[in-house]
Amino acid sequence: MACWKKIRSSSWIYPTLVLCIYGFFSLMRPSEPFLTPYLTGPDKNLTIDEVTNQILPVWTYSYLALLFPVFLITDYMRYKPIIILQGLSFIITWLMLLFVQGVLAMQLMEVFFGMVTATEVAYYAYIYSVVSVDHYQKVTSYCRSITLAATTVAAVLGQLLVSLAELSYFYLNVISLASLSLALLASFFLPMPKHSMFFHKNRIPETPQGATDQDTKSKATSINEQPSCQEDKDTAKSSVLSRTLPECQSDKHQCHMLVQLCKDVKECYSTKKLLYWSLWWALATAGYNQIVNYVQVLWDYRAPAKNNNVYNGAVEAAATFLSSVTSLAVGYVKINWDLSGELALGIFSALNAGSLFLMHFTTNIWVSDCCQSKHGTLRFNVWIQQLCRTGDSDYYNCSRS
């Protein structure tokens, strides 16, 4: 009991613990490596062409359309409500995946999954609004490694249930739905942040210039002139205006924050290092999402799926296990990315490109699986090492300017 009180009173342990619990259960989805076999199997009875050309692309465009507005709303709402929204979107997605039929229904399901991935920014940004800069490196490694660990556990569990217990893909989705329900429950216990990056910065309240001038004039009037009826009316009007002033100030503040956001974006991307990193990350993320979206279709083409002969879960586990271990370790390692950052990005990019070419040209399903594992591991390692710089790098300073 004393230990729990200590955790609750800690400025960073409690929110990190709850967020990690949410992250674990939201990624503990053993059915995800088997999505394509599930959609083309007897449960949904869709063709591979319908899945490839009509259903999967909807997620890409939904994600793109929702990403920027969700980013702004996330900051304005201070993260926690958006994490809850992500949990609700997860539940809706898996309910539709379980109980509705047809191409149109699956397309709508992909729209909700686009909401899930667009709101993912709230999970990664939340923790920086409730902990001090001193703990950024540790909490980053914890939050990222727990998601990778959950993906690994889910993939291994799914593979064991399919290969050994010959469990139906339908019941894998039921297990995923139960895990997502626990994640949604955990999200309600997150502390509400008091500030955010743009709309709710810690500000020193300023006295409005108009109010200062009015006070000066009223003092001069009280000294030099006697009160009159007209002055009483003016005072009454001023009092009404002063009551509406906070609302006006709030509107002006929001407009000011939007203008400041545009200025921050311009200032940040005038830094070549940040611009190069952002371009690399945008291209890497776009490519990675396309691979994740369609790699199961490639595997089905190379080796047509049979219910107990599918090893998608084993590949997912291999792709994330090493990333989980290394991302946790990186939280305790100091790396001078100012000296080695560009070289590392070049090497990782070349290795990723080589893996993709090999996946395309090989006809061996095992070689294709190994390439996918290597591609995911390399990208996640770069991601976590770059994020660990936020406590003392130009990236964090720019975002807070």
Side-chain angles (χ1 to χ4, degrees):
M1 197 66 179
C3 182
W4 176 246
K5 287 181 179 179
K6 183 179 179 181
I7 291 175
R8 286 299 302 266
S9 62
S10 172
S11 61
W12 70 276
I13 296 178
Y14 175 72
T16 304
L17 177 63
V18 178
L19 191 67
C20 286
I21 291 173
Y22 173 84
F24 180 85
F25 286 111
S26 66
L27 269 294
M28 234 293 289
R29 309 191 298 262
S31 62
E32 193 157 352
F34 306 95
L35 176 63
T36 298
Y38 173 69
L39 293 176
T40 57
D43 293 293
K44 297 300 175 186
N45 203 26
L46 299 168
T47 66
I48 195 69
D49 288 335
E50 289 174 332
V51 172
T52 306
N53 300 320
Q54 299 182 44
I55 296 174
L56 295 181
V58 175
W59 168 73
T60 305
Y61 296 115
S62 301
Y63 183 24
L64 177 63
L66 292 168
L67 194 56
F68 185 71
V70 165
F71 167 74
L72 292 180
I73 295 172
T74 298
D75 190 88
Y76 183 77
M77 300 293 290
R78 289 180 291 174
Y79 312 115
K80 179 180 177 178
I82 305 303
I83 294 177
I84 295 174
L85 175 63
Q86 184 188 44
L88 290 171
S89 300
F90 265 129
I91 299 297
I92 295 172
T93 299
W94 254 260
L95 284 174
M96 295 186 70
L97 199 56
L98 282 168
F99 300 115
V100 300
Q101 302 287 338
V103 173
L104 184 60
M106 291 298 100
Q107 288 174 334
L108 185 59
M109 179 269 296
E110 290 286 359
V111 173
F112 281 103
F113 192 67
M115 176 64 76
V116 166
T117 49
T119 52
E120 193 177 47
V121 65
Y123 173 81
Y124 293 110
Y126 168 86
I127 198 64
Y128 303 118
S129 66
V130 293
V131 303
S132 64
V133 177
D134 297 338
H135 298 105
Y136 274 16
Q137 188 168 359
K138 284 186 179 181
V139 299
T140 299
S141 64
Y142 291 153
C143 292
R144 185 58 198 167
S145 60
I146 199 68
T147 59
L148 295 173
T151 304
T152 304
V153 171
V156 170
L157 177 62
Q159 189 64 63
L160 292 175
L161 291 175
V162 167
S163 298
L164 301 181
E166 297 185 9
L167 191 69
S168 162
Y169 297 137
F170 178 86
Y171 291 106
L172 285 183
N173 282 291
V174 172
I175 296 172
S176 297
L177 180 60
S179 177
L180 293 170
S181 300
L182 292 175
L184 177 62
L185 181 63
S187 67
F188 289 100
F189 291 93
L190 289 168
M192 186 68 178
K194 296 179 180 178
H195 61 86
S196 64
M197 185 178 295
F198 293 108
F199 290 102
H200 301 282
K201 285 184 177 180
N202 287 331
R203 298 179 300 130
I204 299 173
E206 298 178 357
T207 305
Q209 185 64 33
T212 305
D213 294 342
Q214 184 180 343
D215 291 343
T216 304
K217 288 179 183 179
S218 63
K219 287 178 181 177
T221 301
S222 64
I223 294 172
N224 298 321
E225 297 179 6
Q226 295 296 323
S228 66
C229 241
Q230 182 61 34
E231 288 173 349
D232 290 341
K233 290 180 181 178
D234 292 341
T235 304
K237 289 180 181 178
S238 298
S239 138
V240 173
L241 288 174
S242 66
R243 285 196 296 269
T244 60
L245 188 59
E247 297 178 7
C248 297
Q249 284 180 324
S250 177
D251 293 338
K252 288 181 180 179
H253 172 63
Q254 305 308 332
C255 293
H256 172 72
M257 286 297 101
L258 289 174
V259 173
Q260 186 63 40
L261 173 61
C262 296
K263 290 181 179 179
D264 286 348
V265 170
K266 182 180 178 181
E267 182 180 349
C268 287
Y269 288 106
S270 63
T271 305
K272 287 186 178 180
K273 188 181 296 184
L274 180 59
L275 180 62
Y276 294 156
W277 161 248
S278 298
L279 287 174
W280 183 91
W281 178 249
L283 293 172
T285 301
Y288 181 78
N289 286 339
Q290 289 299 311
I291 294 167
V292 170
N293 211 20
Y294 292 101
V295 72
Q296 292 185 31
V297 177
L298 174 65
W299 291 338
D300 189 75
Y301 175 75
R302 292 278 186 261
K306 295 179 181 177
N307 200 46
N308 59 348
N309 244 356
V310 181
Y311 297 101
N312 297 3
V315 178
E316 280 292 327
T320 54
F321 175 74
L322 183 59
S323 296
S324 178
V325 174
T326 54
S327 64
L328 183 62
V330 162
Y332 296 91
V333 176
K334 300 293 183 182
I335 301 174
N336 189 350
W337 278 84
D338 291 329
L339 295 177
S340 58
E342 287 77 8
L343 177 62
L345 288 182
I347 293 173
F348 290 143
S349 299
L351 291 174
N352 281 338
S355 299
L356 292 179
F357 275 109
L358 193 55
M359 283 175 66
H360 173 72
F361 289 109
T362 186
T363 56
N364 189 312
I365 184 64
W366 298 109
V367 175
S368 180
D369 291 346
C370 291
C371 291
Q372 166 64 8
S373 299
K374 182 186 293 184
H375 182 271
T377 299
L378 290 174
R379 179 178 173 274
F380 282 136
N381 285 342
V382 174
W383 190 93
I384 187 64
Q385 292 180 42
Q386 284 286 354
L387 253 187
C388 282
R389 304 181 62 202
T390 52
D392 54 0
S393 69
D394 294 337
Y395 303 102
Y396 173 74
N397 294 331
C398 185
S399 68
R400 288 289 180 180
S401 62

